[in-house]
Amino acid sequence: MRAPDSVSATRLDLAGTRAFTAPGAGPVRRAAIADYTRSWLLEIWDAAGGRQVPGLALAAVGSLGRGDAGPLSDLDLVLLHDGRSLSAAEITAFADRVWYPIWDADIRLDHSVRTLA
Protein backbone atom coordinates (compact mmCIF):
# COMPACT_ATOMS: atom_id res chain seq x y z
CA MET A 1 0.00 0.00 0.00
CA ARG A 2 1.18 3.56 -0.66
CA ALA A 3 2.83 5.45 2.16
CA PRO A 4 0.32 7.76 3.84
CA ASP A 5 2.48 10.85 3.45
CA SER A 6 2.85 10.31 -0.30
CA VAL A 7 -0.90 10.33 -1.02
CA SER A 8 -1.47 13.98 -0.13
CA ALA A 9 1.71 14.98 -1.95
CA THR A 10 0.69 13.11 -5.10
CA ARG A 11 -2.77 14.70 -5.05
CA LEU A 12 -1.09 18.12 -4.87
CA ASP A 13 1.34 17.19 -7.65
CA LEU A 14 -1.55 16.15 -9.89
CA ALA A 15 -2.99 19.64 -9.44
CA GLY A 16 0.31 21.20 -10.53
CA THR A 17 0.40 24.47 -12.36
CA ARG A 18 1.74 23.20 -15.67
CA ALA A 19 -0.69 24.23 -18.39
CA PHE A 20 -2.84 25.78 -15.70
CA THR A 21 -4.35 28.27 -18.11
CA ALA A 22 -4.89 25.81 -20.97
CA PRO A 23 -8.58 25.35 -21.80
CA GLY A 24 -9.92 22.27 -20.05
CA ALA A 25 -6.88 21.91 -17.77
CA GLY A 26 -8.96 22.13 -14.57
CA PRO A 27 -11.33 19.27 -15.38
CA VAL A 28 -8.43 17.11 -16.59
CA ARG A 29 -6.50 17.69 -13.37
CA ARG A 30 -9.54 17.05 -11.16
CA ALA A 31 -10.28 13.81 -13.05
CA ALA A 32 -6.65 12.70 -12.57
CA ILE A 33 -6.86 13.42 -8.83
CA ALA A 34 -10.15 11.50 -8.60
CA ASP A 35 -8.69 8.53 -10.53
CA TYR A 36 -5.60 8.46 -8.33
CA THR A 37 -7.68 8.71 -5.15
CA ARG A 38 -10.04 5.93 -6.24
CA SER A 39 -7.11 3.62 -7.02
CA TRP A 40 -5.61 4.39 -3.60
CA LEU A 41 -8.95 3.65 -1.91
CA LEU A 42 -9.07 0.32 -3.76
CA GLU A 43 -5.67 -0.54 -2.25
CA ILE A 44 -7.05 0.31 1.19
CA TRP A 45 -10.20 -1.74 0.50
CA ASP A 46 -8.12 -4.74 -0.57
CA ALA A 47 -5.78 -4.44 2.43
CA ALA A 48 -8.81 -4.31 4.73
CA GLY A 49 -10.14 -7.52 3.15
CA GLY A 50 -13.17 -5.92 1.50
CA ARG A 51 -13.19 -8.25 -1.49
CA GLN A 52 -13.39 -11.30 0.78
CA VAL A 53 -16.54 -10.23 2.61
CA PRO A 54 -19.85 -10.52 0.78
CA GLY A 55 -22.42 -7.86 1.50
CA LEU A 56 -19.98 -4.95 1.83
CA ALA A 57 -19.45 -1.95 -0.45
CA LEU A 58 -17.67 1.37 -0.24
CA ALA A 59 -19.40 4.26 -1.98
CA ALA A 60 -17.79 7.60 -2.77
CA VAL A 61 -20.13 10.57 -2.84
CA GLY A 62 -19.41 14.28 -3.16
CA SER A 63 -16.60 15.50 -5.39
CA LEU A 64 -14.86 12.12 -5.57
CA GLY A 65 -18.11 10.38 -6.49
CA ARG A 66 -18.58 12.92 -9.28
CA GLY A 67 -14.98 12.45 -10.47
CA ASP A 68 -14.35 16.12 -9.72
CA ALA A 69 -11.98 15.99 -6.73
CA GLY A 70 -9.52 18.76 -5.99
CA PRO A 71 -6.14 18.25 -4.35
CA LEU A 72 -7.48 19.34 -0.97
CA SER A 73 -10.94 17.82 -1.31
CA ASP A 74 -12.14 15.79 1.61
CA LEU A 75 -13.38 12.27 1.03
CA ASP A 76 -17.09 11.63 1.49
CA LEU A 77 -17.40 7.87 1.89
CA VAL A 78 -20.21 5.52 2.86
CA LEU A 79 -19.50 1.97 3.99
CA LEU A 80 -22.58 -0.07 3.10
CA HIS A 81 -23.31 -3.50 4.54
CA ASP A 82 -26.17 -5.95 4.29
CA GLY A 83 -26.61 -6.23 8.07
CA ARG A 84 -26.11 -10.00 7.97
CA SER A 85 -22.57 -10.85 6.86
CA LEU A 86 -20.75 -9.28 9.81
CA SER A 87 -21.57 -8.55 13.42
CA ALA A 88 -21.62 -4.96 14.66
CA ALA A 89 -18.16 -5.43 16.21
CA GLU A 90 -16.81 -6.86 12.96
CA ILE A 91 -18.26 -3.94 10.97
CA THR A 92 -16.62 -1.50 13.39
CA ALA A 93 -13.26 -3.25 13.08
CA PHE A 94 -13.54 -3.36 9.30
CA ALA A 95 -14.49 0.33 9.12
CA ASP A 96 -11.44 1.17 11.24
CA ARG A 97 -9.23 -0.69 8.75
CA VAL A 98 -10.63 1.55 6.00
CA TRP A 99 -10.82 4.90 7.83
CA TYR A 100 -7.45 4.88 9.64
CA PRO A 101 -5.20 4.80 6.53
CA ILE A 102 -7.13 7.81 5.22
CA TRP A 103 -6.69 9.68 8.48
CA ASP A 104 -3.02 8.63 8.56
CA ALA A 105 -2.61 10.25 5.12
CA ASP A 106 -3.91 13.53 6.59
CA ILE A 107 -6.90 13.58 4.27
CA ARG A 108 -10.14 14.91 5.72
CA LEU A 109 -12.83 12.26 5.83
CA ASP A 110 -16.59 12.55 6.09
CA HIS A 111 -17.68 8.97 6.63
CA SER A 112 -20.67 6.90 7.58
CA VAL A 113 -21.61 3.25 7.94
CA ARG A 114 -25.08 2.28 6.76
CA THR A 115 -27.12 -0.80 6.04
CA LEU A 116 -28.85 -1.18 2.72
CA ALA A 117 -32.19 -0.53 4.40
Side-chain angles (χ1 to χ4, degrees):
M1 189 165 28
R2 297 169 211 190
D5 58 344
S6 72
V7 175
S8 292
T10 299
R11 286 168 43 118
L12 286 170
D13 289 345
L14 288 169
T17 58
R18 273 179 269 144
F20 188 76
T21 59
V28 169
R29 285 195 315 271
R30 289 191 304 273
I33 293 166
D35 288 345
Y36 173 80
T37 304
R38 281 191 296 263
S39 71
W40 174 62
L41 288 173
L42 184 57
E43 289 178 17
I44 292 171
W45 183 257
D46 286 344
R51 290 188 197 227
Q52 287 76 41
V53 182
L56 280 180
L58 185 64
V61 296
S63 62
L64 182 60
R66 291 187 305 274
D68 194 33
L72 300 176
S73 294
D74 68 338
L75 299 182
D76 301 304
L77 302 176
V78 180
L79 178 61
L80 297 165
H81 64 96
D82 62 11
R84 297 182 306 268
S85 298
L86 299 174
S87 69
E90 290 170 323
I91 289 290
T92 299
F94 182 84
D96 286 347
R97 291 194 303 271
V98 175
W99 307 149
Y100 274 93
I102 297 167
W103 289 322
D104 290 345
D106 254 350
I107 296 176
R108 291 184 329 265
L109 175 64
D110 183 6
H111 62 288
S112 62
V113 178
R114 301 283 185 258
T115 63
L116 295 174

